[in-house]
Amino acid sequence: MYNMTELFLHYVWKNRLYRFQALRTTQNEKLVVIHPGFQHQDAGPDFKQAIIKLNDITWAGDVEIHCKSSDWHKHGHDNNPQYKSVILHVVFENDCPINNHNRELLPTLELKDLIASETLLRYNRLHNSPHRLPCKHEITKLPTDFLENFSQKLINRRLIRKGKNIFSLLEKSEHDWQEVFFKILVVNFGFKINQDAFELLSKTLSYKIILKHSKSKLQLYALLFGQAGMLEDYQLTVGDSYYQKLHQEYHYLKHQYRLISIPVHRWNLLRIHPQNFPALRLAQLAEFLYRFPMVFHHFITEDLKIFEFLKWRCEPDEYWKTHFLFGKKTKKHSAILGKSSKELLIINSIIPTLFTYGAFSGNMKLQENAIKLLEIVSFEKNYITKYYRQVGFPAQNALHSQAILELQSCYCQTKQCLQCDIGKFIIGRNNC
């Protein structure tokens, strides 16, 4: 028994995945589909401006699609004037005759015996698959060049989608690209675990203030920790000289710029590795801004200075080699921003901004550089990308891992196989 959906029938009708030679309606009229029409997403018939020939008469109008012809009544089309223009009712199963608004039999095409059984089986295997990747068992059967081309398509879609968010941020930032990139960078220093808190922090600090104090490491650290709400513990001002210096500096800057910090409880400390503690990440961010104060002009260029960032040993103040939190000393540990963290910042901050600014400025070289960087940066390792790699999806670099994440979030997670190139390839292969 097939699990039939209207979405599948839409796909079959649009792509003519049925035996379309010598068609007959349920009323035994000779039917020729000249044009299936254009898929319609709003209220009303499913396909607009279709052209068909019934016997010797050519008709132009709309097509409505249902799993069963009785759905016409269930969906209340009988008295809806929007459906007066329907010239053909396409159904999987014709379980009852339907009259049009003139009380005449509505021409109906039944697809049940016109769709190849293999096409139906392939669709149902995808639609009913229990796997995270519905086409798990098909991936290794697909041509390598097909998967590579689809990965490129997914990357373009992902970068364009991220670009829309960047342009929205640009509007709110009075078209200041330095400000935009600064905010994107701050958010991504949250590395998902504390991304919301870092985003809130980015809204409380202007890049202009950061740049003004970029030559003073103490002031940069004070601004970031102060705005994060981490310099409000007055008990620490007695026993922790490092904390005391930051506290005093922030107190001055806070009054100078009338700053309002975020609540300290917004930071997540539960069930996270010490290397991801927000205080350490803030120290690394402060060190980054001290080393690269002109963030946008330094990284959004044609000469790929990103490699300078990868080689740079991002090590914050000595204090953070024995602390993950203020006032709590630990054994000596590394406080360096790791290679994988740097690469994530490149993937999530630098590359989308580089690509979007290239589109904004009409500089195709910048967009090419963004794609080139994805091909150079390492493949991201998380539970999603590891799974896709195991089932045979390409996994050589960050272009592939980003393509996987786009595929998973936009298609696989919601089983949009009929909109996915892989799903279309599998279902449509030797379909008749």
Side-chain angles (χ1 to χ4, degrees):
M1 190 68 182
Y2 297 120
N3 187 358
M4 190 51 56
T5 67
E6 284 188 14
L7 282 176
F8 175 64
L9 294 177
H10 288 183
Y11 179 75
V12 167
W13 175 254
K14 179 180 177 180
N15 295 281
R16 299 193 186 217
L17 298 183
Y18 56 89
R19 289 187 286 274
F20 49 80
Q21 302 296 327
L23 290 177
R24 292 275 175 176
T25 67
T26 55
Q27 293 84 35
N28 203 33
E29 299 168 291
K30 183 181 178 182
L31 171 64
V32 177
V33 180
I34 299 170
H35 193 284
F38 301 98
Q39 201 159 2
H40 185 59
Q41 302 296 334
D42 299 324
D46 297 316
F47 285 81
K48 309 288 286 186
Q49 302 175 40
I51 304 173
I52 65 172
K53 191 174 183 179
L54 287 171
N55 291 330
D56 296 322
I57 302 175
T58 301
W59 297 81
D62 301 336
V63 173
E64 179 66 6
I65 297 178
H66 288 126
C67 292
K68 294 183 177 182
S69 52
S70 57
D71 291 339
W72 180 275
H73 300 304
K74 290 179 182 178
H75 297 172
H77 298 335
D78 307 73
N79 302 311
N80 189 333
Q82 287 184 309
Y83 293 84
K84 286 183 178 181
S85 56
V86 172
I87 57 173
L88 182 67
H89 194 199
V90 177
V91 300
F92 183 71
E93 181 182 350
N94 182 46
D95 61 340
C96 72
I98 299 296
N99 290 329
N100 62 19
H101 285 71
N102 295 323
R103 299 186 182 280
E104 299 170 341
L105 278 175
L106 182 63
T108 301
L109 175 65
E110 186 180 59
L111 293 175
K112 183 167 60 176
D113 297 324
L114 300 175
I115 305 172
S117 58
E118 188 60 30
T119 300
L120 288 166
L121 285 170
R122 286 173 186 150
Y123 168 69
N124 273 271
R125 276 200 294 265
L126 292 177
H127 185 71
N128 299 321
S129 173
H131 303 296
R132 180 181 289 118
L133 179 63
C135 55
K136 173 182 177 179
H137 298 298
E138 301 283 344
I139 287 295
T140 54
K141 303 173 188 176
L142 300 176
T144 303
D145 59 345
F146 171 82
L147 287 175
E148 286 293 346
N149 290 335
F150 187 39
S151 293
Q152 289 283 351
K153 186 175 178 180
L154 287 167
I155 285 301
N156 284 329
R157 172 189 170 127
R158 188 169 182 82
L159 290 173
I160 290 170
R161 182 169 56 79
K162 288 189 173 187
K164 289 178 181 177
N165 295 330
I166 292 173
F167 279 126
S168 176
L169 194 57
L170 188 65
E171 287 287 330
K172 297 173 185 176
S173 304
E174 299 179 352
H175 292 84
D176 184 342
W177 279 96
Q178 287 267 33
E179 186 74 38
V180 168
F181 186 54
F182 165 71
K183 291 188 182 303
I184 293 170
L185 189 67
V186 173
V187 171
N188 286 313
F189 254 90
F191 295 98
K192 287 190 177 180
I193 299 166
N194 271 293
Q195 203 164 56
D196 290 343
F198 269 94
E199 182 174 6
L200 187 60
L201 173 66
S202 75
K203 293 175 181 177
T204 71
L205 262 180
S206 165
Y207 173 72
K208 292 180 178 66
I209 295 177
I210 291 292
L211 188 60
K212 190 174 179 179
H213 297 277
S214 60
K215 292 182 180 180
S216 169
K217 185 183 286 195
L218 177 64
Q219 291 178 337
L220 280 179
Y221 275 73
L223 280 167
L224 290 172
F225 282 118
Q227 287 304 99
M230 296 183 185
L231 298 179
E232 305 295 333
D233 190 340
Y234 289 94
Q235 291 181 344
L236 290 177
T237 60
V238 177
D240 192 321
S241 60
Y242 180 75
Y243 186 92
Q244 184 179 12
K245 287 178 184 178
L246 293 174
H247 175 83
Q248 289 174 348
E249 196 64 37
Y250 177 66
H251 182 74
Y252 164 74
L253 294 168
K254 181 179 182 180
H255 286 281
Q256 181 181 356
Y257 296 110
R258 297 180 181 179
L259 298 173
I260 299 174
S261 61
I262 70 172
V264 73
H265 66 77
R266 295 300 296 265
W267 299 100
N268 177 31
L269 296 174
L270 296 175
R271 293 184 294 277
I272 63 174
H273 192 277
Q275 290 291 337
N276 275 323
F277 271 34
L280 180 57
R281 290 301 189 194
L282 282 167
Q284 292 166 345
L285 173 59
E287 198 66 29
F288 179 96
L289 293 171
Y290 181 70
R291 174 65 178 80
F292 305 107
M294 300 294 289
V295 284
F296 179 78
H297 293 303
H298 193 93
F299 292 110
I300 311 305
T301 63
E302 291 186 20
D303 57 2
L304 295 179
K305 291 183 179 178
I306 291 94
F307 297 109
E308 180 186 338
F309 168 51
L310 281 173
K311 293 175 184 177
W312 172 57
R313 184 181 172 87
C314 180
E315 191 168 29
D317 286 343
E318 192 72 17
Y319 181 88
W320 297 104
K321 290 182 180 179
T322 54
H323 291 79
F324 289 113
L325 297 167
F326 282 114
K328 293 186 178 180
K329 196 167 184 178
T330 66
K331 292 180 180 179
K332 196 167 185 179
H333 57 258
S334 173
I336 297 171
L337 185 67
K339 180 177 180 287
S340 61
S341 295
K342 288 180 184 178
E343 290 189 330
L344 283 175
L345 289 172
I346 290 172
I347 291 168
N348 296 316
S349 302
I350 295 173
I351 289 174
T353 308
L354 190 66
F355 186 88
T356 306
Y357 186 70
F360 174 81
S361 61
N363 188 338
M364 295 294 291
K365 180 67 175 175
L366 294 181
Q367 292 186 298
E368 290 170 7
N369 279 353
I371 302 298
K372 189 186 297 182
L373 276 171
L374 283 171
E375 294 172 345
I376 295 171
V377 174
S378 304
F379 183 82
E380 300 158 82
K381 295 177 182 178
N382 55 51
Y383 74 96
I384 295 172
T385 59
K386 285 179 182 177
Y387 174 83
Y388 278 69
R389 181 178 60 185
Q390 287 169 0
V391 300
F393 206 88
Q396 278 76 53
N397 49 46
L399 187 146
H400 291 139
S401 57
Q402 283 288 292
I404 286 170
L405 294 174
E406 188 71 7
L407 176 64
Q408 197 272 337
S409 63
C410 295
Y411 297 104
C412 304
Q413 191 172 342
T414 51
K415 286 198 174 178
Q416 300 293 317
C417 301
L418 296 174
Q419 282 72 50
C420 171
D421 284 10
I422 295 176
K424 291 176 187 177
F425 185 92
I426 293 168
I427 294 168
R429 186 175 51 202
N430 302 321
N431 54 79
C432 289

